[in-house]
Amino acid sequence: MTQEQLKNLRLEDFQAPNKVLCYGAGLIGRMVVDSYRRLGIHIVGFIDKYKQGTVKTEFGALPIYSIDTAVHTFGKELKVVITISNTKDFPEIVSSLTAAGVEKSCVVDWSFINWVTVPSAKCYCESLFGTTQLGSGSFIQCCYWGENRSFNVETLEPGTPPEQIAQNYVEKLRHYHKKALEGEVPAYCADCPHLEDRPVEKEIRLKNVYFSATAHCNAECIYCSGVLETDLKKLPYDAKGYGKLFFSTLRYLDDCGLLAPDVRIGYAGGEISVSPARKELLDFALKHPQYQHKFLSNCIVYNEGIAQALAQNPKSELMCDLDAGTPESYLLMKGFNFFDKVVENLGRYAQNGRVILKYIVMPGFNTTREDYLGMIKLLKKLGLTELLLSQDHLHTMDLYTERRSIFEVARFKKLLAENGIEGVLFPDSFSIRQARLVERFYKQMP
């Protein structure tokens, strides 16, 4: 199927009572079934060359067919979504399906849903048209609402030149923008409560661009969502590749005029100060002082380029997750004892520009009174009047762990206030219910 055909696909073409099967009964296939069913795409089974029986999904067990059996059962008008990870096998699979009588236009790969749009009364979305994030496996364009979590606009494919990936991503973004102007939104976004009933801007202007592909770091934080060293080989790029891709994307977005005048660019990627592409990325920051540059660093290594970028623009900032007020707790949280070095580097950065500290509260790890008082002492030393408070929102907590976590956030917030420092809840870390509970505990804290 050509790209122009993909752009004109309609969601109803893949909904019941149409006959849609997945080719590939592995992990991707199971994930696709669950995700597509939430969008209203009814998958009736799998086709697999090597497997038999059924596949258990969130919506029940689905049968596995051979190609011939699938065509005999559903007819040659069936639609097939290829759900295997090795894209090199796609041409052979398409040939096998067409040889059995399936129309070539009815065979798509699992990422086809990234082109499908549906009519919507509300079409504007700040997250969709104002923010993008380069993750470990894709460009993510979403605020993480509901069960769907993240909208992978452009999946990263090993071996694809960074410049080509950046162009592919921009083409999809422009596709969604054009459709939004016509009154349609991506199928993924249908019925999203965050869609707004206001006009879509005539031009795309990204206000937030973030680099968060966790492929390299010089710490081992207990809460980190990054992959283990043994899993790095499974990622589509190495640390240098991710850095080069983000640099290519920044340059392409800038050349295309898609960055807002006050765009905030976030540099993390794992750890920006040790990224193999740090020179290119920091050179971009220094050559574009008009943009706001946000550096997310553990500050184990001091980088003069970051300091210069902070000094160039008072709106730029460095944010550090220190997460400890004592060397002992720092070692427990980070896996290495760089506490004193980090404190020294924070002082050096603070002399050049804006520094923000964040504290991920984890009961049993960094919640002693000594930790809290040590953090307060450092804040005063740096001349900071607020601290971002977070919890471990990347991992599921049971009711008891959640209650203890929220209680500790409130307790720390209270102690901060008593010392003239504001404890600010990190928005991405708390649900509305949790934020209310923190406030209640804070007000009633003895």
Side-chain angles (χ1 to χ4, degrees):
M1 184 172 290
T2 66
Q3 194 170 88
E4 289 306 312
Q5 288 175 313
L6 284 171
K7 290 181 180 180
N8 293 313
L9 283 175
R10 309 297 300 179
L11 184 61
E12 54 263 31
D13 294 335
F14 292 85
Q15 293 177 304
N18 293 295
K19 305 163 185 177
V20 184
L21 290 91
C22 289
Y23 189 105
L27 176 61
I28 292 178
R30 295 196 300 274
M31 292 174 62
V32 160
V33 168
D34 296 339
S35 179
Y36 286 3
R37 285 289 289 267
R38 296 190 191 103
L39 297 175
I41 299 176
H42 187 71
I43 305 294
V44 295
F46 291 87
I47 298 175
D48 201 291
K49 190 176 181 179
Y50 305 103
K51 299 179 181 178
Q52 298 178 335
T54 61
V55 175
K56 185 178 180 180
T57 74
E58 186 178 316
F59 297 90
L62 296 178
I64 301 175
Y65 302 91
S66 66
I67 292 178
D68 292 337
T69 305
V71 173
H72 176 75
T73 304
F74 299 101
K76 295 180 180 180
E77 66 273 19
L78 65 83
K79 298 181 186 297
V80 180
V81 181
I82 302 177
T83 52
I84 63 172
S85 58
N86 192 351
T87 57
K88 293 181 180 180
D89 292 338
F90 283 9
E92 180 183 344
I93 293 171
V94 173
S95 295
S96 298
L97 289 167
T98 54
V102 179
E103 290 290 334
K104 188 174 182 180
S105 61
C106 293
V107 181
V108 294
D109 69 75
W110 60 276
S111 65
F112 84 98
I113 196 64
N114 287 347
W115 292 101
V116 179
T117 59
V118 295
S120 175
K122 300 178 180 180
C123 291
Y124 182 79
C125 176
E126 184 69 28
S127 296
L128 181 60
F129 299 120
T131 301
T132 191
Q133 177 179 345
L134 173 59
S136 296
S138 64
F139 278 100
I140 304 168
Q141 201 91 9
C142 190
C143 56
Y144 306 97
W145 80 276
E147 295 178 321
N148 290 318
R149 297 297 293 171
S150 56
F151 180 18
N152 299 328
V153 175
E154 176 66 18
T155 302
L156 305 183
E157 294 289 349
T160 305
E163 295 80 7
Q164 184 61 53
I165 291 180
Q167 292 176 27
N168 292 346
Y169 157 70
V170 168
E171 184 168 3
K172 284 199 175 106
L173 188 60
R174 284 174 167 158
H175 168 69
Y176 293 135
H177 183 257
K178 177 176 179 291
K179 290 294 184 178
L181 291 172
E182 297 171 356
E184 297 189 9
V185 297
Y188 173 92
C189 302
D191 299 323
C192 173
H194 296 289
L195 288 173
E196 298 178 39
D197 188 12
R198 66 183 178 91
V200 178
E201 283 93 345
K202 293 183 179 180
E203 301 292 337
I204 299 173
R205 289 293 183 268
L206 293 172
K207 299 176 182 178
N208 300 283
V209 181
Y210 297 119
F211 176 34
S212 58
T214 308
H216 61 283
C217 193
N218 49 359
E220 294 178 2
C221 300
I222 188 65
Y223 52 78
C224 187
S225 62
V227 295
L228 297 174
E229 185 178 356
T230 52
D231 291 328
L232 288 177
K233 293 180 181 179
K234 299 178 183 179
L235 295 177
Y237 292 92
D238 58 13
K240 184 176 182 180
Y242 281 117
K244 186 176 181 181
L245 174 56
F246 188 61
F247 174 67
S248 297
T249 301
L250 280 179
R251 190 169 54 184
Y252 190 67
L253 291 173
D254 188 51
D255 290 344
C256 291
L258 298 180
L259 299 179
D262 59 346
V263 62
R264 173 177 287 192
I265 302 174
Y267 304 82
E271 174 51 43
I272 180 62
S273 67
V274 296
S275 168
R278 60 188 178 277
K279 185 180 185 305
E280 292 88 344
L281 292 172
L282 294 176
D283 280 349
F284 181 90
L286 292 172
K287 291 176 181 178
H288 297 80
Q290 73 276 25
Y291 298 150
Q292 297 181 48
H293 302 282
K294 181 174 182 177
F295 304 97
L296 288 77
S297 174
N298 54 36
C299 295
I300 293 172
V301 173
Y302 179 82
N303 187 286
E304 186 60 37
I306 293 177
Q308 291 178 22
L310 294 176
Q312 276 190 350
N313 186 346
K315 293 184 179 181
S316 292
E317 60 192 30
L318 176 137
M319 187 172 79
C320 176
D321 289 2
L322 188 56
D323 307 326
T326 66
E328 183 180 43
S329 293
Y330 184 92
L331 175 60
L332 179 62
M333 289 290 291
K334 305 292 184 178
F336 299 94
N337 189 6
F338 294 121
F339 184 79
D340 292 337
K341 187 65 177 176
V342 171
V343 169
E344 176 188 341
N345 289 337
L346 283 169
R348 297 174 69 185
Y349 282 130
Q351 292 175 1
N352 289 275
R354 178 172 167 77
V355 169
I356 299 173
L357 290 186
K358 181 160 155 271
Y359 200 105
I360 299 179
V361 175
M362 295 188 65
F365 286 86
N366 60 355
T367 52
T368 65
R369 184 174 177 82
E370 289 74 19
D371 274 306
Y372 293 166
L373 292 176
M375 190 71 224
I376 290 171
K377 180 180 178 181
L378 176 58
L379 288 164
K380 290 182 176 181
K381 180 180 178 180
L382 295 174
L384 303 182
T385 57
E386 68 176 36
L387 175 67
L388 287 180
L389 297 175
S390 180
Q391 61 176 341
D392 182 14
H393 64 282
L394 297 175
H395 298 91
T396 302
M397 292 185 285
D398 59 35
L399 180 63
Y400 303 102
T401 306
E402 180 197 54
R403 176 61 60 88
R404 171 54 68 180
S405 175
I406 290 174
F407 182 84
E408 284 296 340
V409 169
R411 189 165 77 94
F412 195 8
K413 181 178 171 70
K414 186 78 170 183
L415 190 58
L416 287 165
E418 291 172 356
N419 284 271
I421 298 171
E422 183 181 5
V424 180
L425 299 188
F426 190 61
D428 295 344
S429 183
F430 299 90
S431 66
I432 295 176
R433 176 186 63 81
Q434 290 173 334
R436 288 173 179 167
L437 192 55
V438 170
E439 191 61 26
R440 185 202 312 163
F441 283 162
Y442 171 75
K443 290 180 178 179
Q444 299 183 26
M445 190 73 62

